[in-house]
């Protein structure tokens, strides 16, 4: 039997008996638009990762899954776990089964910046996996939206955070963590910014677009209680995940200079280190400007 291409679909026409794990796989790829095989296996498990990858191949070639073509544009693509998204066949199966599956991300349509979108999915999925390992409960965006004010739930873009001065912020992700101490529960909520270094950190003119200006806008929104008024959450921390330590150091320096306050946490993770799940993201300390590091998993 000839080896099938990872990049091009080759249908055999044979009928595939779908398993309960296949259905969970389809649901997972609705929740997270893009996930590599390494993440899918971390979520779903199984006796053999090799056999799991073979199953992904079968589902891809028969049209249940897609593999975004953008991933093949990079020189090392063949050395990395394959990125998958839900295909027409998988969507048809979920539709026939009934029951809506809500997305954890805001990537409703094909994003213009594929690598940025993939980083968002990998960061959120890593945090969810880390919460599971730490005995914490990951509160995904659909659960937050379900309890938000009616005006937000009926909005076309409910994840947008209005600013006191006009306009809005659009986080890359919004989630919460539920903590338990005995019978008591507590919650923190987070806005995620996946920073690939495409925006200048600071600009000479205050009105010019910069990362520090974005964080200052978050400070103003949080001070005005926009997160509570629009999402119904009692608190909000802003996580910046960037891909280079030197950029992290520069951002921290400028945040300290601007005296933006405590709700901002920062971490650098190389893009290659997100090829496999990074479940330590919630447990490892995040840097803060002028304050001790802080673990978002800590009660």
């Amino acid at each position: 039997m000839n080896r099938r291409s990872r990049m091009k679909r080759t249908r055999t026409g044979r009928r595939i008996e779908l398993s309960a794990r296949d259905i969970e796989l389809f649901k997972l790829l609705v929740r997270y638009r893009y996930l590599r095989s390494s993440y899918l296996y971390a979520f779903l498990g199984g006796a053999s990762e090799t056999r799991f990858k073979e199953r992904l191949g079968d589902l891809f070639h028969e049209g249940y899954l897609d593999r975004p073509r953008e991933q093949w544009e990079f020189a090392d693509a063949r050395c990395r776990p394959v990125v998958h998204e839900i295909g027409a066949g998988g969507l048809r199966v979920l539709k026939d089964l009934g029951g809506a599956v809500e997305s954890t991300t805001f990537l409703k349509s094909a994003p213009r910046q594929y690598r940025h979108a993939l980083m968002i999915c990998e960061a959120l999925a890593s945090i969810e996996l880390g919460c599971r390992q730490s005995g914490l409960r990951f509160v995904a965006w659909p659960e937050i939206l379900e309890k938000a004010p009616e005006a937000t739930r009926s909005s076309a873009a409910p994840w947008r955070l209005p600013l006191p001065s006009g306009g809005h912020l659009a986080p890359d992700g919004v989630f919460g963590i539920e903590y338990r101490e005995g019978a008591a529960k507590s919650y923190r909520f987070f806005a995620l910014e996946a920073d690939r270094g495409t925006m200048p950190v600071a600009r000479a003119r205050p009105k010019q677009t910069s990362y520090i200006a974005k964080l200052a806008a978050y400070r103003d929104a949080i001070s005005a209680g926009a997160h509570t008024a629009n999402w119904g959450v009692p608190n909000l921390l802003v996580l910046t995940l960037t891909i280079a330590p030197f950029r992290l150091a520069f951002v921290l320096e400028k945040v300290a200079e601007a005296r933006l306050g405590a709700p901002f946490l920062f971490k650098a993770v190389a893009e290659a280190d997100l090829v496999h799940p990074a479940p330590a993201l919630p447990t490892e300390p995040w840097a803060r400007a002028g304050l001790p590091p802080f673990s978002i998993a800590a009660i």
Side-chain angles (χ1 to χ4, degrees):
M1 179 179 176
N2 294 330
R3 185 180 179 86
R4 296 178 295 186
S5 169
R6 301 170 83 198
M7 298 176 281
K8 296 181 181 179
R9 182 172 283 125
T10 306
R11 292 183 184 272
T12 65
R14 69 184 182 88
R15 187 171 182 272
I16 290 183
E17 293 289 341
L18 296 176
S19 67
R21 189 172 66 166
D22 294 331
I23 304 303
E24 292 305 310
L25 170 65
F26 301 157
K27 291 178 179 179
L28 192 55
L29 286 172
V30 173
R31 293 185 62 232
Y32 290 103
R33 183 184 178 95
Y34 299 129
L35 284 179
R36 297 182 186 275
S37 59
S38 51
Y39 282 80
L40 294 169
Y41 185 70
F43 272 108
L44 300 172
S48 167
E49 187 171 2
T50 298
R51 182 66 193 96
F52 181 79
K53 290 177 181 178
E54 291 172 355
R55 182 62 171 181
L56 293 177
D58 293 339
L59 294 170
F60 164 66
H61 286 291
E62 298 307 322
Y64 292 97
L65 305 179
D66 287 340
R67 292 174 172 172
R69 64 180 182 277
E70 291 91 343
Q71 68 184 298
W72 309 121
E73 296 173 3
F74 304 103
D76 60 349
R78 294 175 182 270
C79 304
R80 297 189 173 197
V82 178
V83 180
H84 293 81
E85 61 182 322
I86 191 72
L91 285 172
R92 186 169 56 250
V93 169
L94 292 180
K95 182 179 179 180
D96 291 344
L97 289 174
V101 180
E102 298 293 335
S103 177
T104 302
T105 71
F106 309 141
L107 305 170
K108 302 294 185 182
S109 57
R112 289 177 295 176
Q113 297 179 327
Y114 165 75
R115 293 178 76 170
H116 182 242
L118 179 61
M119 183 178 177
I120 294 168
C121 294
E122 291 176 337
L124 289 171
S126 289
I127 292 170
E128 180 173 358
L129 287 165
C131 286
R132 291 186 180 189
Q133 290 183 12
S134 303
L136 304 171
R137 190 171 75 84
F138 180 84
V139 182
W141 168 249
E143 183 177 343
I144 296 171
L145 182 59
E146 185 180 341
K147 299 176 182 178
E150 171 59 30
T152 302
R153 285 185 277 118
S154 59
S155 168
W159 59 87
R160 289 181 175 177
L161 197 62
L163 296 173
S165 58
H168 62 266
L169 286 163
D172 289 330
V174 176
F175 67 95
I177 296 179
E178 179 187 277
Y179 309 84
R180 287 178 178 254
E181 196 167 18
K185 297 179 183 179
S186 59
Y187 297 85
R188 290 193 194 101
F189 296 89
F190 305 87
L192 173 71
E193 290 291 336
D195 172 45
R196 298 195 65 257
T198 56
M199 181 184 291
V201 173
R203 303 287 284 269
R205 297 177 182 176
K207 291 187 178 180
Q208 290 180 308
T209 301
S210 71
Y211 200 75
I212 293 302
K214 177 188 280 191
L215 295 184
Y218 268 112
R219 175 200 58 195
D220 295 343
I222 293 170
S223 296
H227 55 292
T228 302
N230 290 273
W231 299 336
V233 300
N235 54 63
L236 186 68
L237 298 175
V238 181
L239 305 179
T240 293
L241 188 67
T242 191
I243 60 174
F246 70 86
R247 181 171 172 91
L248 172 61
F250 189 36
V251 170
L252 285 170
E253 176 187 332
K254 293 302 179 181
V255 169
E257 287 178 6
R259 298 181 180 179
L260 292 182
F264 301 102
L265 293 86
F266 305 88
K267 182 177 283 293
V269 177
E271 196 170 15
D273 291 340
L274 287 174
V275 168
H276 297 280
L281 279 184
T283 55
E284 288 180 346
W286 290 65
R288 295 189 290 175
L291 293 167
F294 181 75
S295 166
I296 65 173
I299 297 177

